[in-house]
Amino acid sequence: MAAPGSDIEHGYPHLDTVRAAITALYHRLSRDTVDTFGVSVLPGDVAFADQDDLYLGVQRVARVMVQHLRLPDARMIVSFREMRHAGNVELAAGPEYFIELNSRFKTHRRDIGAALAHEVTHVYLHRLDLSFPGTRDNEILTDTTAAYLGTGWLLLDAYRQDSVSSQKLGYLTPEEFGYVLAMRALLFDEDPSPWFTSPQAYEAYTKGLELARREQARPPLTAAGWTGRRRYAKDRRAAQSGHPSPTGGDYAFDTGPPLSVSFPCPTCRQRIRVPVRGRLRARCGLCRTVLECDT
């Protein structure tokens, strides 16, 4: 949790780990299970007014997160204490899990849903037995999972910045949160932008959406633009002449024989390998997305 007035990191410094997290989710859950999360937690489900009872309200919001993540036999016991971070959860065998939230949320209730989204996702991943090595990468996995499965838009909406103070929850940058939410939006045709109360969150989402859309229009996909197609054709000629495998960024050629090209699936980021033989339709073996290609 950023302290008031602190600098907030921007851009995409963790993008490789974010993409690896999306791929890991599909490996662990399957496309069918991911599809069951097609509707996000709605703003009204986590609304928390100042006149609401603090402890009844926090338990209500925790239940919303538990139900959304299909953890019916998990009980979240939530308390508050002074701490450096936004929250902490004790990962045990269950069914009871003890979550501690920063005491500041007693008077900043609008962000309790965001903090609980992160902590309950820790429980979800613990039960899935899915983790990354190292604290940093594991926290990035948690933020990515929350955003991709429909609760993490609250984490981005908690990002606010003005001339005298700043706040950000989670380990992803605002733009990385925007990117994951955009990947989700393109998959489920769900637009989270009307839910943002923070103008900075909306701006970060639009930047992430631009990147996600560019990834869906890169060669050898037929949606690629003229510049990308021209560069791809040049790299393909070099590969066909037997030069060391050139790369246009995402794609890479393998001279074989036969000549083939590999590139990441724009949905799950798993790499796909297809023969170089003109227009063809490829199907990702992991997320089953059908891709129109011009190789």
Side-chain angles (χ1 to χ4, degrees):
M1 181 166 56
S6 67
D7 292 332
I8 292 177
E9 188 174 24
H10 288 277
Y12 302 95
H14 316 112
L15 192 56
D16 287 344
T17 308
V18 168
R19 289 167 171 164
I22 293 173
T23 304
L25 270 181
Y26 277 94
H27 274 293
R28 188 65 182 86
L29 294 181
S30 81
R31 174 61 184 266
D32 289 337
T33 302
V34 171
D35 283 347
T36 66
F37 293 94
V39 178
S40 291
V41 166
L42 298 176
D45 295 337
V46 293
F48 205 139
D50 288 340
Q51 62 268 25
D52 292 347
D53 180 272
L54 175 63
Y55 290 95
L56 291 178
V58 77
Q59 291 298 148
R60 173 181 58 80
V61 176
R63 282 196 299 273
V64 169
M65 301 302 168
V66 166
Q67 291 168 0
H68 182 83
L69 292 174
R70 323 293 200 263
L71 296 169
D73 61 337
R75 297 189 297 274
M76 304 296 152
I77 311 302
V78 186
S79 61
F80 297 85
R81 72 173 176 89
E82 295 291 337
M83 66 175 79
R84 178 173 176 267
H85 299 290
N88 181 61
V89 62
E90 179 183 320
L91 295 176
E96 290 186 344
Y97 296 88
F98 296 90
I99 294 175
E100 295 177 317
L101 298 183
N102 193 300
S103 294
R104 72 183 299 271
F105 290 119
K106 290 182 178 180
T107 54
H108 293 76
R109 299 182 181 186
R110 63 185 290 188
D111 298 322
I112 284 178
L116 288 174
H118 181 90
E119 301 307 332
V120 176
T121 301
H122 268 303
V123 174
Y124 179 72
L125 292 172
H126 175 69
R127 288 194 162 199
L128 282 180
D129 194 24
L130 176 59
S131 64
F132 279 178
T135 299
R136 168 190 167 276
D137 287 358
N138 205 51
E139 294 291 353
I140 291 171
L141 170 65
T142 303
D143 280 342
T144 301
T145 299
Y148 203 76
L149 297 186
T151 64
W153 69 268
L154 290 159
L155 285 157
L156 178 55
D157 195 42
Y159 164 51
R160 291 183 290 278
Q161 198 163 19
D162 56 34
S163 59
V164 296
S165 65
S166 60
Q167 173 186 278
K168 185 187 77 68
L169 301 184
Y171 287 72
L172 301 185
T173 68
E175 293 78 15
E176 287 166 344
F177 268 121
Y179 169 78
V180 180
L181 291 173
M183 294 281 282
R184 172 185 171 81
L186 294 172
L187 176 66
F188 293 119
D189 194 24
E190 178 190 72
D191 180 11
S193 59
W195 304 333
F196 294 127
T197 61
S198 163
Q200 292 83 17
Y202 177 81
E203 181 181 359
Y205 171 69
T206 59
K207 290 179 179 177
L209 183 59
E210 290 173 2
L211 175 58
R213 283 176 171 164
R214 287 200 302 270
E215 290 184 347
Q216 295 203 338
R218 289 178 176 171
L221 301 176
T222 57
W226 181 83
T227 301
R229 295 298 311 160
R230 184 179 182 184
R231 185 184 67 246
Y232 178 85
K234 179 181 177 181
D235 290 343
R236 181 177 57 199
R237 288 194 298 270
Q240 289 170 332
S241 67
H243 291 177
S245 177
T247 176
D250 281 351
Y251 61 81
F253 290 99
D254 183 351
T255 55
L259 182 66
S260 63
V261 61
S262 65
F263 60 97
C265 170
T267 298
C268 69
R269 305 302 301 177
Q270 173 88 353
R271 290 197 73 83
I272 300 170
R273 184 180 299 275
V274 296
V276 174
R277 63 182 188 205
R279 284 186 172 262
L280 56 84
R281 181 173 291 176
R283 186 172 184 264
C284 177
L286 180 58
C287 70
R288 306 200 303 268
T289 300
V290 176
L291 304 168
E292 299 291 339
C293 305
D294 188 355
T295 60

